[in-house]
Amino acid sequence: MLKNLLSAIILSGLLVVGCGSSDESSSEATEGPKYFEIMNAEKTYSMDDIKGAGLKGIKEFKTDAVDKKTGEPLTPGATNIVLGFFKGPSGPKDIEVRFYSNHDDAVSLGQDPAESITEKPSNLVGNSSVTTLADAGVGMKGSTKYGGYAISGNIVVLCERELQACLDFIEVLP
């Protein structure tokens, strides 16, 4: 009996150790899928680079748009904003590109506005989401969600439905 009890205790200990997880992996599980990335601090992109990467149907928007309720700028520090579509490996997706003077400005001035209009992957349901500029103007709520964003060099790239669309677009930039 003592032998069986000892075996059971050892087996239980092995199961606990084998099934345990580190803090890192458990925090990943609770955070959900990744929806943004910051990269390429040394890069500086131009409108020619964006066009060369295959952004089509480009529409330009004012950089001085303000929130109608608060009067606060929606894209502080942005020097240019364009919207178009990009035909990547997962099909055509709406892509919004916000230009800043440099990478530091893109991060410090562009990340909060991008974060505020990006739906986290766990919140995306069906086809409802945040409207693109073409539909309603910078950062307005509506029907097409930005499911991810990436900051690469001096640009913030907002992507329809998922981060992968941003990464696909950035991958073809010069």
Side-chain angles (χ1 to χ4, degrees), residues 21-34 121-122:
S21 62
S22 70
D23 287 340
E24 183 178 322
S25 63
S26 64
S27 69
E28 283 180 24
T30 58
E31 289 176 18
K34 191 172 183 181
S122 60

Side-chain angles (χ1 to χ4, degrees), residues 42-123:
E42 73 289 348
K43 295 270 190 167
T44 301
Y45 300 104
S46 68
M47 182 59 79
D48 288 339
D49 295 329
I50 301 305
K51 290 176 181 176
L55 194 66
K56 304 290 185 205
I58 296 174
K59 295 180 183 180
E60 293 193 40
F61 292 89
K62 292 183 178 182
T63 59
D64 60 356
V66 295
D67 184 292
K68 291 179 182 177
K69 291 181 184 176
T70 66
E72 295 293 317
L74 292 172
T75 55
T79 59
N80 195 10
I81 302 172
V82 297
L83 173 76
F85 69 92
F86 173 70
K87 204 178 234 181
S90 60
K93 298 279 192 268
D94 286 343
I95 302 283
E96 181 178 322
V97 180
R98 298 175 178 181
F99 290 86
Y100 291 84
S101 297
N102 54 55
H103 181 73
D104 290 339
D105 285 356
V107 174
S108 65
L109 300 172
Q111 186 168 12
D112 284 346
E115 185 74 26
S116 73
I117 64 167
T118 300
E119 287 289 321
K120 311 317 173 261
S122 60
N123 296 338

